[in-house]
């Protein structure tokens, strides 16, 4: 562990000489074991694995030749804990504490691969030896999440060694604040928190706003359930967010910054706190940063975890110490924000882009992506795909490439039905649009949103009406309840959708939902109500036949809405294995061994046990 | 700086940046509102005041209670879109508060017989927040607040702790558009009035805000200490002003 640093970095030359001395001290031939200690892997005992590895290494007297590096998230959490052995780049996943002995003796000492720890493609069953050849990674473009899983997020020197803080050095030494703003404008970067507002324009408005006191806030609230790209960035590469904030502070003239992190992210809070403290010790935060006369400090603020607190005005009110409820705009925060002062509020991933833009230039950046959506975006790919996790791709990559190329297609050989993008208030996109490029405008035109980058993949077993009901139910309790369209609209929507799912749908319901949904979109006070009807409107647009079937035929073909279907056994397919009969809790299944079975619809409670058990898929829905 | 703007074809000169609704009032154009009050900061919750604005060749819907007027703006307060929005809001409110006279009158004026929405409730509060904001911004007492999120949102005492910071001024009763707040005499000290709204009753302090000798149980005092100390200064200021 490093002791307290007495010699602060005072100039850019200091920074460069420090970088050089760190790199010189490194021994490139040394074996480094990179292990993830972020939320996902830590939950699967990665800390215990590290302790075990340390012991084994000591036992073999290899302390000087092998280094263990604790890193942030690789994005492939489902396969965690993940471990990479360098310089060979050997990739192991689903490592258990018991594997420590083998890893050290077989791989580190003998240089052999351990097959059972390698990644096996669930489709082709092929094993992958190296991280760099992992199919899931090859198709990605890891610009923003590059450091995640590579560097030790709790060691500023590791960040500096990988080129960290050089973008800040460049900005302070060679650019004026206005030039920084214009570089960000020229890059075409748009906010990654949901709205997609051009970041440079926001900075320009704020820097032009009158007033001496200005603030910059990083939004790490990430209230979207199932999404964790912001968490993994904060845990895995906290300095890139801090560096982005310092550059932003320089550009707009702020002296104080805040990072708003939800309480439920203790590791993110810990890593950010360590990073801030180290940056202060090294003189990269505080007074006269890099001798350029910039004073800037950062505080961490903990959010209480309400979804609506991620909305910019609610977040600002929450930092002010009052309960987080959105307020009408204008005035926009860039003019009148925290404590009435001009404030830039950016998502943490947006800020993560800043260092790349500054160091490689606006031209380089604006060449990545599509006409109106530049750069890369991290998505959280979950649901019925084979490979779930975080994926970073160039804007404009098709849904097919993400879901089938990287995600490996649908699990258990089922068929793709739809993908829901943009979190709970996103929209569902059907198979007919699978070749659509993913960027802000295409998603909006398709009735969905980029949101923060959540992607939930659904197969044929999902009922789209039930899905819409599910999201509306979530939003009903997450809405702040301040404005009428959102609060009352969601209540009525939920009521109508519940009725449809229970078989009480009536003629006219679809029209009422559509009218109400459009009304909510145009009239709600904040983005929550403004996007809340997306799940309903998009499913009506693409899956209207399912709504019709629910309302008019009282049928749920996906077999989800219990009142609207029944199970039956296909006599042709059933071989009479008796498995379902034995497991049915209601004894609703009858039949002789090796003869087709039958379900008594009167007794069946539709628990679905038989349906998921039958290997021959003889149990059907009608 | 005075700038010209056009409201429904009528030209008025107003200060740059004042809310559109003021311009409309100056032009004599009526825009219905439920959560707006001159004495309070714009709140933007009812959305009834929405109008269409054409500015810099852009046409958009905004809430007139907070949207700043700018020179050259053209405002339309009675387009079919605006009427459609008002209608939808009233239909939603009618489903929430079918008994409230004011809502029923509004509905009648728009020719709405009964709400198209089937989920009916028997609420009387429309959560416009006028009472809460008046109590905070004008009276300076904050005896009531808005608690909970989403469909559970309601007017309640701060942190839902029993509180006796209400001074019984009656401002909330006066301002509430639906008339769901009453002032009732306190049982023990009839000269003090209590604020009463549904199940929520605020007890005015009977000990003249001398917390040190509060006859109430200790844990209540501990809970309320901060709220009360803060209030006492405000209360004094308020009573001295009178
Ligand atoms: C209901 C709601 C929730 C939001 N949650 C988040 C969030 O968790 N994180 C985030 O960065 N932005 C969130 N936003 C978007 C913010 O309001 C804001 O637009 C964004 O943080 C601005 O940063 P950007 O321009 O870098 O995207 C949310 C918006 C709404 C309406
Ligand atoms: S849209 Fe919903 S969350 Fe936003 S202010 Fe209105 S009620 Fe609150
Ligand atoms: S009690 Fe009356 S004034 Fe207060 S929020 Fe409800 S309707 Fe508005
Ligand atoms: S008056 Fe209620 S939103 Fe403007």
């Amino acid at each position: 562990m490093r002791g307290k640093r007495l010699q602060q970095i005072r100039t850019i030359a200091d920074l460069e000489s420090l970088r050089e001395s760190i790199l010189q001290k490194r021994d490139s031939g040394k074996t480094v074991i990179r292990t993830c200690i972020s939320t996902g892997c830590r939950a699967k005992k990665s800390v215990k694995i590290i302790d075990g590895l340390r012991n084994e290494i000591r036992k073999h007297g290899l302390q000087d030749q092998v280094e263990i590096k604790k890193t942030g998230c690789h994005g492939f959490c489902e396969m965690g804990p993940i471990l990479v052995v360098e310089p060979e780049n050997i990739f192991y996943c689903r490592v258990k504490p018991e594997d420590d002995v083998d890893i050290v003796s077989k791989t580190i000492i003998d240089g052999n691969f351990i097959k059972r720890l390698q990644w096996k493609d669930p489709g082709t069953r092929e094993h992958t030896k190296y991280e760099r050849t992992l199919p899931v990674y090859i198709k990605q473009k890891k610009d923003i999440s590059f450091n995640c899983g590579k560097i030790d997020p709790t060691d500023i020197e590791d960040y500096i060694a990988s080129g960290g803080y050089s973008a800040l050095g460049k900005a302070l030494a060679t650019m004026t604040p206005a030039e920084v703003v214009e570089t960000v404008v020229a890059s075409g970067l748009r906010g990654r928190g949901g709205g997609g507002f051009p970041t440079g324009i926001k900075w320009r408005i704020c820097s032009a706003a009158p007033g001496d006191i200005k603030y910059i806030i990083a939004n790490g609230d990430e209230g979207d359930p199932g999404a964790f790209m912001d968490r993994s960035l904060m845990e895995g590469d906290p300095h890139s967010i801090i560096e982005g904030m310092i550059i932003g502070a320089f550009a707009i003239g702020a002296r104080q910054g805040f990072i708003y992190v939800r309480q439920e992210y203790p590791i993110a809070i810990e890593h950010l706190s360590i990073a801030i403290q180290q940056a202060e010790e090294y003189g990269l935060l505080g007074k006269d940063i890099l001798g350029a006369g910039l004073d800037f400090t950062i505080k961490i603020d903990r959010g209480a975890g309400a979804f609506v607190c991620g909305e910019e005005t609610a977040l600002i009110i929450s930092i002010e110490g009052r309960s987080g409820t959105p307020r009408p705009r204008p005035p926009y925060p860039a003019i009148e924000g925290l404590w009435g002062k001009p404030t830039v509020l950016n998502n943490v991933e947006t800020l993560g882009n800043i260092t790349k833009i500054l160091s490689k230039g606006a031209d380089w950046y604006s060449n990545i992506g599509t006409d109106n959506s530049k750069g890369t975006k991290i998505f959280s790919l979950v649901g019925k795909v084979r490979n779930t996790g975080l994926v970073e791709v160039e804007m404009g990559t098709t849904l097919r490439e993400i879901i089938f190329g990287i995600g490996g297609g649908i699990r258990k050989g089922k068929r793709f039905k739809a993908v829901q993008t943009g979190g709970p208030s996103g929209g569902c996109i059907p198979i007919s649009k699978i070749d659509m490029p993913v960027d802000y405008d295409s998603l909006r035109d398709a009735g969905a949103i980029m949101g923060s980058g959540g992607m939930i993949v659904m197969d044929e077993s999902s009922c789209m009406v039930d899905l819409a009901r599910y999201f509306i139910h979530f939003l009903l309790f997450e809405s702040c309840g301040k404005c009428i369209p959102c609060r009352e609209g969601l209540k009525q929507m939920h009521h109508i959708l519940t009725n449809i799912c229970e078989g009480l749908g009536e003629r006219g319901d679809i029209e009422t939902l559509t009218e109400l949904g459009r009304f909510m979109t145009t009239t709600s006070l904040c983005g929550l109500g403004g996007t809340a009807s997306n799940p309903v409107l998009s499913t009506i647009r693409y899956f209207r036949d399912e709504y019709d079937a629910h309302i008019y035929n009282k049928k749920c073909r996906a077999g989800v809405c219990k009142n609207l279907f029944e199970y039956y056994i296909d006599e042709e397919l059933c071989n009479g294995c008796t498995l379902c009969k034995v497991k049915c809790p209601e004894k609703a299944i009858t039949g002789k061994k090796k003869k087709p079975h039958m379900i008594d619809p009167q007794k069946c409670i539709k628990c679905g046990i038989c349906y998921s058990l039958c290997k021959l898929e003889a149990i059907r829905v009608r | 700086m005075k700038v010209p703007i056009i409201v429904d074809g009528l030209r008025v000169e107003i200060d740059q940046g004042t809310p559109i609704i003021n311009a409309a009032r100056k032009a004599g154009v009526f825009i219905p509102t439920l959560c707006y009050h001159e004495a309070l900061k714009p709140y933007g919750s009812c959305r009834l005041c929405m109008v269409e604005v054409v500015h810099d060749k852009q046409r958009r819907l905004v809430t007139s209670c907070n949207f700043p007027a700018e020179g050259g703006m053209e405002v339309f307060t009675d387009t079919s879109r605006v009427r459609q929005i008002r209608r939808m809001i009233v239909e939603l409110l009618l489903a929430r508060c079918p008994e409230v006279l004011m809502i029923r009158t509004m509905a009648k004026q728009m020719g709405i017989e009964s709400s198209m929405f089937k989920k009916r409730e028997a609420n009387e509060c429309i959560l416009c927040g006028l009472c809460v904001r008046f109590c905070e911004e004008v009276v300076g007492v904050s005896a009531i607040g808005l608690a909970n999120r989403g469909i559970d949102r309601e007017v309640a005492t701060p942190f839902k702790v029993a509180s006796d910071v209400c001074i019984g001024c009656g401002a909330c009763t006066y301002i509430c558009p639906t008339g769901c707040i009453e002032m009732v005499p306190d049982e023990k000290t009839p000269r003090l009035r209590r604020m009463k709204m549904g199940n929520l009753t605020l007890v005015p302090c009977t000990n003249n805000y001398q917390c040190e000798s509060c006859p109430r149980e200790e844990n209540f005092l501990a809970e309320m200490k901060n709220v009360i100390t803060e209030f006492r200064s405000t209360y004094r200021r308020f009573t001295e002003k009178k």
Side-chain angles (χ1 to χ4, degrees), chain B residues 124-132 146 155 172 175-181 197:
Chain B
E124 283 187 69
C125 170
I126 56 169
L127 295 170
C128 67
L130 280 171
C131 54
V132 170
L146 284 154
V155 174
C172 51
I175 204 163
C176 176
T178 72
C180 65
I181 305 179
M197 180 190 154

Side-chain angles (χ1 to χ4, degrees), chain A residues 511-531:
Chain A
E511 290 69 26
T512 308
L513 285 174
T514 314
E515 193 185 342
L516 183 57
R518 294 206 182 119
F519 158 80
M520 286 163 63
T521 308
T522 45
T523 59
S524 291
L525 169 55
C526 85
L528 193 150
T531 52

Side-chain angles (χ1 to χ4, degrees), chain A residues 479 481 488 491 515 523, chain B residues 47 84 96 119 121 150 153:
Chain A
S479 144
E488 304 298 325
K491 190 156 64 188
E515 193 185 342
T523 59
Chain B
R47 322 305 285 169
Q84 178 64 19
R96 176 186 172 94
K119 186 170 172 64
E121 284 165 69
R153 191 169 168 92

Side-chain angles (χ1 to χ4, degrees), chain B residues 14-214:
Chain B
I14 46 133
D15 289 327
Q16 165 107 4
T18 46
I20 288 177
I21 198 163
N22 293 357
R25 294 204 168 164
K26 199 165 170 201
V29 173
F30 172 75
I31 299 174
T33 61
L34 279 172
C35 72
Y36 176 73
H37 192 282
E38 299 81 25
L40 302 173
K41 284 191 222 129
Y43 189 60
S45 80
C46 74
R47 322 305 285 169
L48 201 62
C49 67
M50 283 197 127
V51 293
E52 283 196 76
V53 168
V54 180
H55 190 46
D56 288 342
K57 296 200 182 102
Q58 265 189 355
R59 192 181 188 95
R60 53 177 177 155
L61 275 166
V62 301
T63 42
S64 59
C65 66
N66 74 296
F67 203 87
E70 274 174 58
M73 234 178 207
E74 214 175 332
V75 179
F76 301 91
T77 74
D78 199 27
T79 63
S80 64
R81 263 178 106 188
V82 168
R83 280 197 301 268
Q84 178 64 19
I85 287 169
R86 290 182 191 161
R87 194 188 161 89
M88 200 67 156
I89 294 171
V90 172
E91 295 231 14
L92 284 168
L93 284 178
L94 200 58
R96 176 186 172 94
C97 330
E99 300 300 322
V100 170
L101 189 66
M102 190 256 320
I103 304 290
R104 283 165 60 164
T105 317
M106 270 182 142
K108 215 174 193 173
Q109 280 168 358
M110 293 186 187
I112 303 167
E113 302 265 303
S114 75
S115 174
M116 68 197 263
F117 298 108
K118 299 205 185 62
K119 186 170 172 64
R120 305 287 164 79
E121 284 165 69
N123 230 310
E124 283 187 69
C125 170
I126 56 169
L127 295 170
C128 67
L130 280 171
C131 54
V132 170
R133 289 179 291 141
F134 211 88
C135 190
E136 179 190 340
E137 293 176 31
V138 179
V139 185
V141 164
S142 293
I144 40 179
L146 284 154
N148 305 335
R149 274 207 304 269
I151 45 169
D152 297 327
R153 191 169 168 92
E154 60 179 350
V155 174
T157 50
F159 311 110
K160 297 198 107 181
V161 190
S163 138
D164 56 4
V165 300
C166 169
I167 56 171
C169 72
C172 51
T173 320
Y174 163 75
I175 204 163
C176 176
T178 72
C180 65
I181 305 179
E182 289 175 84
M183 295 305 285
V184 295
D186 189 72
E187 281 160 27
K188 289 200 193 104
T189 330
R191 86 186 154 78
L192 289 175
R193 297 182 304 160
R194 297 158 160 232
M195 178 266 198
K196 186 170 178 342
M197 180 190 154
N199 295 331
L200 175 74
T201 313
L202 291 196
V203 189
C205 175
T206 47
N207 201 32
N208 208 17
Y209 300 99
Q210 299 304 308
C211 305
E212 296 76 13
S213 58
C214 183

Side-chain angles (χ1 to χ4, degrees), chain A residues 309-510:
Chain A
C309 282
E311 194 278 336
E312 53 184 18
T313 58
L315 188 147
I316 286 172
I317 291 172
S318 167
I319 294 184
E320 288 172 357
R322 291 176 290 140
S323 86
T325 316
R327 65 153 174 82
R329 294 166 301 180
Y332 288 92
I335 308 234
E336 224 180 291
L338 189 59
W339 292 299
K341 308 290 181 212
T343 303
V344 156
L345 190 116
N346 274 133
N347 168 263
V348 292
E349 190 186 330
T350 312
L351 290 164
N353 280 271
I354 298 294
T355 53
K356 307 288 180 301
I357 293 171
L358 267 281
S359 54
K360 298 193 182 175
D363 285 343
W364 168 81
Y365 192 85
S366 62
N367 270 326
I368 309 169
T370 60
D371 282 353
N372 291 318
S373 309
K374 301 298 182 190
T376 57
K377 172 84 191 88
I378 311 177
F379 293 97
S380 143
L381 187 63
V382 296
K384 302 286 173 63
V385 277
R386 287 214 177 101
N387 311 318
T388 61
L390 295 184
V391 299
E392 182 176 346
V393 291
E394 182 169 351
M395 290 277 190
T397 306
T398 62
L399 279 172
R400 185 188 296 280
E401 182 63 20
I402 297 174
I403 296 165
F404 290 90
I406 300 169
I410 309 298
R411 276 189 207 164
K412 296 190 185 138
K414 288 224 162 93
R415 265 182 306 158
F416 170 86
K417 184 165 188 179
V419 55
Q420 213 255 0
T421 70
S425 54
C428 290
I429 300 172
I431 184 85
S432 59
K433 297 221 176 242
I434 190 93
D435 288 310
M436 188 184 96
V438 177
D439 62 30
Y440 291 98
D441 306 306
S442 320
L443 284 172
R444 198 202 45 230
D445 293 345
I449 51 170
M450 177 77 74
S452 52
M455 273 196 189
I456 307 171
V457 179
M458 283 157 291
D459 65 15
E460 52 206 328
S461 67
S462 299
C463 162
M464 303 315 275
V465 187
D466 179 67
L467 186 91
R469 186 198 56 79
Y470 171 83
F471 286 118
I472 294 301
H473 182 82
F474 172 84
L475 293 165
L476 184 62
F477 291 93
E478 289 300 326
S479 144
C480 79
K482 178 172 177 175
C483 73
I484 294 173
C486 177
R487 181 188 67 233
E488 304 298 325
L490 281 170
K491 190 156 64 188
Q492 297 295 347
M493 250 183 184
H494 185 249
H495 182 68
I496 298 171
L497 288 167
T498 309
N499 272 353
I500 298 178
C501 290
E502 285 175 357
L504 303 170
E506 291 173 11
R507 188 172 293 277
D509 279 353
I510 302 178

